[in-house]
């Protein structure tokens, strides 16, 4: 990887961490401090905008100057990114997963569709394995009555498995700096950094949640999963017209996959997953 692509990857990673933090703060009832330069925004939203502007300014300058890039500099930067990233993943994926955005049944169904398009070339066996969970998540997405804690935990476990499959398929190669450029643009590296930290964060939490899910086995322990699910899934849904709009985009992706007989570029899938996780409804349901 070049210095510019490493910086683009780092920028995506930092922006996604700030976005996760901002999404977590937005789910709290307490008021958030207003921005210093833009009072209409929160501090974290202002930090997001500044990070995007400054990082892409630096990336553009590095690319325009085309200065010699010492191997030790690029390698040292990548090693530093790896250390900080995995420290973050361990703390907020395993120890204190406060930054996991709460999702609802509709978002889980959208992620299910995106991952289904991403694994389309894996063969009919995988497609068949996705058939029943996809149908069940569709029913849950359109169901007006809230699900029980047990079924929410089943649905959330499937959501984490989908994200793990996507991490295995697309994000890990870029995250571990394999050095295979494959014609990737700076934007691809930016999206890869953002999606990589998001997918790996949920993949690590999958280990912890699988142990939590086992509380469903013994009736006396089911109160534990009932207490945990409100912190992972929200009761409110995306307004129907917005859900239909987003669903049309995801449906177009599936149609593209079927017509061409191949999976869309991983960057498309990653962007759609991030869109489904971070989408803010324009109105409250």
């Amino acid at each position: 990887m070049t210095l510019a692509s490493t910086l683009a990857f780092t920028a995506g990673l930092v922006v996604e961490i700030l976005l996760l933090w901002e999404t977590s703060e937005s789910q709290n009832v307490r008021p958030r401090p207003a921005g210093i330069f833009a009072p209409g925004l929160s501090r974290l939203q202002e930090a997001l905008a500044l990070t995007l502007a400054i990082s892409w300014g630096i990336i553009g300058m590095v690319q325009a100057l085309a200065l010699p890039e010492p191997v030790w500099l690029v390698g040292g930067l990548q090693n530093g990114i790896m250390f900080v990233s995995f420290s973050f993943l361990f703390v907020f994926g395993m120890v204190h997963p406060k930054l996991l955005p709460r999702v609802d049944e509709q978002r889980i169904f959208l992620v299910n569709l995106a991952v289904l398009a991403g694994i389309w070339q894996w063969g009919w066996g995988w497609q068949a394995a996705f058939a029943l969970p996809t149908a069940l998540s569709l029913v849950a997405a359109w169901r007006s009555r809230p699900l029980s804690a047990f079924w929410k935990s089943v649905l959330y476990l499937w959501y984490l498995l989908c994200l793990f499959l996507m991490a295995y398929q697309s994000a890990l190669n870029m995250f571990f700096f394999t050095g295979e450029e494959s014609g990737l643009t700076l934007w691809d590296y930016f999206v890869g950094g953002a999606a990589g930290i998001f997918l790996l964060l949920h993949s690590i939490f999958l280990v912890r949640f699988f142990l939590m899910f086992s509380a469903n086995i013994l009736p006396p322990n089911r109160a534990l999963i009932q207490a945990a699910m409100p912190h992972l899934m929200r009761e409110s849904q995306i307004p129907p017209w917005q859900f239909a709009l987003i669903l049309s985009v995801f449906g177009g992706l599936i149609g593209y996959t079927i017509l061409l007989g191949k999976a869309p570029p991983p960057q498309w899938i990653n962007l759609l997953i991030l869109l489904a996780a971070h989408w803010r409804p324009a109105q409250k349901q």
Side-chain angles (χ1 to χ4, degrees):
M1 290 173 65
T2 64
L3 179 59
S5 59
T6 301
L7 291 175
F9 183 91
T10 306
L13 191 149
V14 173
V15 164
E16 177 58 24
I17 290 175
L18 289 174
L19 188 56
L20 287 169
W21 212 292
E22 197 276 333
T23 301
S24 175
E25 289 295 318
S26 70
Q27 295 169 348
N28 296 328
V29 295
R30 63 177 184 272
R32 293 176 292 168
I36 299 174
F37 303 104
L41 302 176
S42 69
R43 294 279 177 88
L44 282 171
Q45 289 172 340
E46 187 178 71
L48 269 168
L50 289 173
T51 301
L52 278 170
I54 293 173
S55 60
W56 278 103
I58 294 174
I59 293 168
M61 182 176 63
V62 168
Q63 193 175 32
L65 293 176
L67 297 175
E69 301 175 1
V71 176
W72 63 267
L73 176 62
V74 178
L77 181 59
Q78 292 177 358
N79 290 334
I81 295 168
M82 292 282 284
F83 175 78
V84 174
S85 299
F86 280 101
S87 299
F88 170 85
L89 290 169
F90 176 76
V91 173
F92 292 103
M94 185 65 71
V95 180
H96 188 44
K98 61 168 288 186
L99 298 187
L100 296 175
R102 284 188 294 167
V103 294
D104 49 53
E105 293 85 348
Q106 293 171 335
R107 297 171 196 271
I108 292 175
F109 176 64
L110 292 173
V111 168
N112 189 149
L113 283 184
V115 177
L116 178 59
I119 68 165
W120 193 260
Q121 287 184 308
W122 287 15
W124 65 267
W126 282 96
Q127 297 166 20
F130 261 71
L132 180 59
T134 301
L136 293 177
S137 62
L138 174 60
V139 172
W142 288 106
R143 180 185 171 92
S144 57
R145 294 171 54 188
L147 297 174
S148 66
F150 170 76
W151 284 110
K152 283 186 175 182
S153 65
V154 172
L155 200 60
Y156 194 80
L157 180 63
W158 173 245
Y159 166 72
L160 293 177
L161 287 171
C162 285
L163 295 179
F164 174 76
L165 286 176
M166 196 60 211
Y168 175 79
Q169 182 201 25
S170 65
L172 288 180
N173 287 340
M174 191 179 294
F175 195 86
F176 284 112
F177 304 106
T178 59
E180 298 176 2
E181 295 291 333
S182 302
L184 297 175
T185 65
L186 292 179
W187 173 250
D188 294 332
Y189 278 103
F190 178 82
V191 174
I197 199 72
F198 178 87
L199 295 173
L200 289 175
L201 183 67
H202 285 80
S203 297
I204 291 176
F205 182 67
L206 172 61
V207 178
R208 177 172 175 176
F209 186 76
F210 185 79
L211 298 176
M212 295 167 60
F213 183 78
S214 63
N216 288 311
I217 298 175
L218 298 177
N221 294 338
R222 290 173 187 170
L224 300 176
I225 202 70
Q226 293 175 357
M229 291 316 299
H231 299 284
L232 301 173
M233 293 188 64
R234 62 174 80 201
E235 293 297 335
S236 61
Q237 301 275 22
I238 302 173
W241 70 270
Q242 294 185 33
F243 179 60
L245 178 63
I246 302 175
L247 187 59
S248 65
V249 176
F250 281 66
L253 178 69
I254 297 294
Y256 170 93
T257 300
I258 295 175
L259 287 175
L260 297 186
K262 62 179 181 179
Q267 293 77 15
W268 292 18
I269 306 294
N270 290 335
L271 278 175
L272 289 176
I273 289 174
L274 295 178
L275 172 65
H278 292 296
W279 177 265
R280 300 283 180 84
Q283 64 186 51
K284 292 185 179 180
Q285 180 75 347

